[in-house]
Amino acid sequence: MSALFKEPRIRGGVHAEAHKASTSSQPIVIDLPLPKKLYIPLQQHVGKAAEPVVRVGDHVLKGQLLAHSQGMISAPVHASSSGVIIDIDDYPAPHPSALPIRTVVLETDGEDKWISAPPVDDPFQLAPEEVSLRVGTAGIVGLGGAAFPSAVKLNLGRENKIHTLLINGGECEPYLTCDDRLMQERAAGIIDGIRLMLHGMETGQAIVGIEDNKPEAYAAMRKAGLPYRFIKVEQVPTRYPMGWDRQLIRYLIGREVPAGGRSADVGVIMHNVGTAYAVHRAIRFNQPLVSRIVTVSGGAVASPMNIEVPIGTLISELFAFCGVDQTATKRIIMGGPMMGDALPHSRLPIVKASSGILALTQEEIRNKAQQPCIRCAQCVSACPAGLLPLDMANRIRNNQLDAAVDIGLKDCISCGSCSYVCPSNIPLVQYFKYASGELAARQQAQHKSEHTRRLMDERNARMDRIKKQQQEEEQARLAAKAERERLQSEQGTLA
């Protein structure tokens, strides 16, 4: 194929305003005052919620197990500090709905004392299966925002003979710099975590992809990775959403993940740099995931910064520490402005997936009036998945969800690139999020209906068995009665 017509290595995307300068050059803050109370949700991951193993009144140490995982797709939850369990009840979740979820409330004792857990002398002597087991026991999930249990991915990599571990250091979302600072300051730990994940997956090589607007992070990671020829640190263009696994795979590996498929289908598994560092802490020092780096930024923040935050800390405490002007705050977002969730208030806890908390002013929020579509096709050019956003939105507006699925709705990652470039300010991504939620609700209702029908079928079958058994017992009783009457009649005749 001629180079002129060769398909580009980067598909779609946008050059979003970065808004990273206020935090990318500042060291990670590690002296956040310990909160008096921590609100630790039992559902901080994809899959089933964890089940508590502690009771109200129990004294726990930092790193102690609070709730164990349930099933393969789940993750345990640990104490983020030492103190006393004062409640296990429903508390609002860090979600746009703020619906209550089961939460452990821990009153800290101020000592922040770790549970005794001896480190591993040489983790590379552990069996690969043991590495995955320890990662799962530590409650590590994808820290890029997906929150998928990391041990499941490690096992998947080993079982599917994955040839490349891809590490996402892109951090393409505006405002967020937590991964950038982590790579600048703790590159050796990240590289060690990558080596441990390779060992756990029995995979031969890893590639770290870092956007080229992070030269200091790139230099630090290159230096830390130099002794290991099987770990490559590569720069990728700064273009949102470069952190999407299919975009990185396409650019760095040169393979296309099939529609409806997974990265494992092309021999690749992707993890975040924060996840790699958490694996390093868990395997080397036997420390579960109890804190994470969070970017606090936005126009209403007097002192934007990256902070190491105990899981369960309320957002309001971060806002107080960073000097957030509550009157100027018009929107609170957990994550980045493109794919993050708008929160109703700040009395919500930091969880494992909280990469950033933004306090945005009115000037930072795009609330322009929607205009009619001018058929410019910019949304098509910007879509990294190669979809037709306007056509999907039209079908969704007309409640033709199945038709929207037929033209690729399930391949949409809700990155917001189409809405970002639309000159008519059509909220395209909102249609897709609505449709995805509606489809999920329909699927859940269908599963519930099928489950109810299955229970009814089982009940009817059970009632039929009981009825048949009763009939057989009645027939046996009548037969026995008839036999007794016959014997009595014969005895009477003989007498």
Side-chain angles (χ1 to χ4, degrees):
M1 179 183 292
S2 167
L4 181 63
F5 298 103
K6 186 176 181 180
E7 193 172 11
R9 294 168 71 188
I10 301 176
R11 176 188 290 149
V14 297
H15 289 290
E17 295 181 53
H19 298 288
K20 295 175 182 280
S22 61
T23 56
S24 61
S25 59
Q26 299 184 43
I28 296 169
V29 175
I30 59 174
D31 59 353
L32 175 73
L34 185 65
K36 293 182 179 180
K37 292 181 182 179
L38 296 167
Y39 297 79
I40 307 172
L42 302 184
Q43 179 73 65
Q44 301 186 47
H45 49 267
V46 173
K48 292 185 177 180
E51 184 66 24
V53 296
V54 293
R55 295 180 296 180
V56 173
D58 287 354
H59 185 274
V60 297
L61 297 175
K62 187 175 183 177
Q64 184 173 330
L65 182 68
L66 297 181
H68 64 77
S69 57
Q70 293 198 86
M72 186 179 72
I73 310 296
S74 184
V77 175
H78 302 80
S80 308
S81 187
S82 56
V84 177
I85 306 300
I86 61 171
D87 201 2
I88 303 175
D89 203 352
D90 287 346
Y91 189 83
H95 183 271
S97 66
L99 290 173
I101 58 173
R102 207 172 184 195
T103 300
V104 174
V105 183
L106 171 61
E107 185 175 67
T108 59
D109 57 15
E111 297 183 10
D112 204 33
K113 184 179 180 181
W114 276 96
I115 191 171
S116 177
V120 179
D121 292 332
D122 185 2
F124 292 99
Q125 294 300 315
L126 297 172
E129 295 82 2
E130 179 67 15
V131 172
S132 296
L133 179 63
R134 287 173 178 252
V135 168
T137 303
I140 298 174
V141 300
L143 297 185
F148 190 84
S150 300
V152 177
K153 277 191 175 183
L154 295 182
N155 289 327
L156 179 67
R158 188 171 58 253
E159 294 164 2
N160 288 268
K161 305 299 181 185
I162 297 300
H163 60 70
T164 302
L165 169 62
L166 190 57
I167 300 296
N168 178 14
E171 197 169 42
C172 55
E173 274 271 12
Y175 291 93
L176 302 187
T177 60
C178 54
D179 287 349
D180 185 0
R181 288 308 311 180
L182 187 67
M183 289 186 286
Q184 290 186 51
E185 299 181 36
R186 306 178 188 180
I190 297 172
I191 293 295
D192 186 59
I194 294 171
R195 293 173 60 214
L196 290 166
M197 286 195 286
L198 286 172
H199 178 59
M201 293 169 59
E202 296 183 298
T203 299
Q205 72 166 350
I207 303 176
V208 184
I210 304 173
E211 281 192 334
D212 56 17
N213 64 348
K214 303 173 180 63
E216 294 86 358
Y218 173 71
M221 290 292 289
R222 283 272 294 179
K223 181 179 179 181
L226 275 178
Y228 312 105
R229 297 181 61 184
F230 50 88
I231 300 178
K232 299 178 181 179
V233 180
E234 303 283 353
Q235 284 187 308
V236 298
T238 300
R239 189 174 180 85
Y240 177 87
M242 184 54 79
W244 182 34
D245 60 349
R246 298 190 182 203
Q247 195 80 295
L248 271 180
I249 290 169
R250 182 183 176 88
Y251 188 86
L252 292 173
I253 310 295
R255 300 288 300 276
E256 187 80 36
V257 178
R262 302 175 301 176
S263 61
D265 296 335
V266 294
V268 179
I269 290 289
M270 189 169 87
H271 285 275
N272 176 265
V273 289
T275 306
Y277 184 74
V279 169
H280 157 73
R281 300 294 302 175
I283 304 300
R284 285 283 182 186
F285 305 104
N286 216 349
Q287 294 182 354
L289 180 58
V290 295
S291 66
R292 67 155 298 143
I293 312 301
V294 179
T295 300
V296 182
S297 189
V301 184
S303 301
M305 61 184 78
N306 286 294
I307 315 173
E308 186 154 11
V309 183
I311 302 299
T313 301
L314 292 182
I315 294 171
S316 56
E317 304 229 16
L318 296 185
F319 279 3
F321 185 71
C322 297
V324 172
D325 184 348
Q326 299 283 1
T327 59
T329 302
K330 299 306 178 183
R331 183 171 298 169
I332 300 171
I333 294 180
M334 187 177 76
M338 300 293 282
M339 295 185 71
D341 291 323
L343 303 180
H345 55 80
S346 62
R347 293 284 302 171
L348 302 170
I350 292 295
V351 292
K352 297 176 182 180
S354 305
S355 55
I357 299 296
L358 308 181
L360 304 181
T361 62
Q362 187 63 50
E363 291 73 22
E364 294 172 290
I365 301 172
R366 297 180 65 189
N367 276 337
K368 297 179 181 179
Q370 181 178 333
Q371 302 293 329
C373 175
I374 60 174
R375 297 288 174 177
C376 65
Q378 288 193 47
C379 59
V380 177
S381 301
C383 180
L387 304 177
L388 301 172
L390 183 63
D391 289 350
M392 290 197 304
N394 287 336
R395 284 163 172 76
I396 294 166
R397 268 198 295 258
N398 292 311
N399 201 30
Q400 299 173 353
L401 299 190
D402 292 336
V405 170
D406 291 341
I407 61 172
L409 176 61
K410 290 188 175 181
D411 290 319
C412 173
I413 61 171
S414 299
C415 68
S417 295
C418 53
S419 296
Y420 187 86
V421 300
C422 180
S424 298
N425 303 306
I426 301 173
L428 294 163
V429 71
Q430 294 183 21
Y431 287 110
F432 309 145
K433 287 184 176 182
Y434 157 76
S436 297
E438 181 66 22
L439 287 173
R442 289 184 183 182
Q443 187 177 31
Q444 187 177 14
Q446 183 179 356
H447 288 167
K448 185 176 181 179
S449 176
E450 291 174 352
H451 180 65
T452 302
R453 185 168 59 251
R454 185 167 63 252
L455 289 177
M456 288 298 298
D457 290 343
E458 291 174 355
R459 178 185 179 278
N460 292 336
R462 186 170 64 254
M463 295 302 295
D464 288 343
R465 288 196 302 271
I466 292 173
K467 184 176 180 180
K468 183 178 180 181
Q469 182 179 357
Q470 290 174 341
Q471 290 175 342
E472 291 175 348
E473 290 174 351
E474 179 65 14
Q475 290 174 355
R477 188 184 68 79
L478 292 174
K481 180 181 179 181
E483 180 64 17
R484 287 196 302 273
E485 291 175 348
R486 185 184 66 78
L487 291 174
Q488 291 174 356
S489 175
E490 291 179 353
Q491 291 174 355
T493 302
L494 292 173

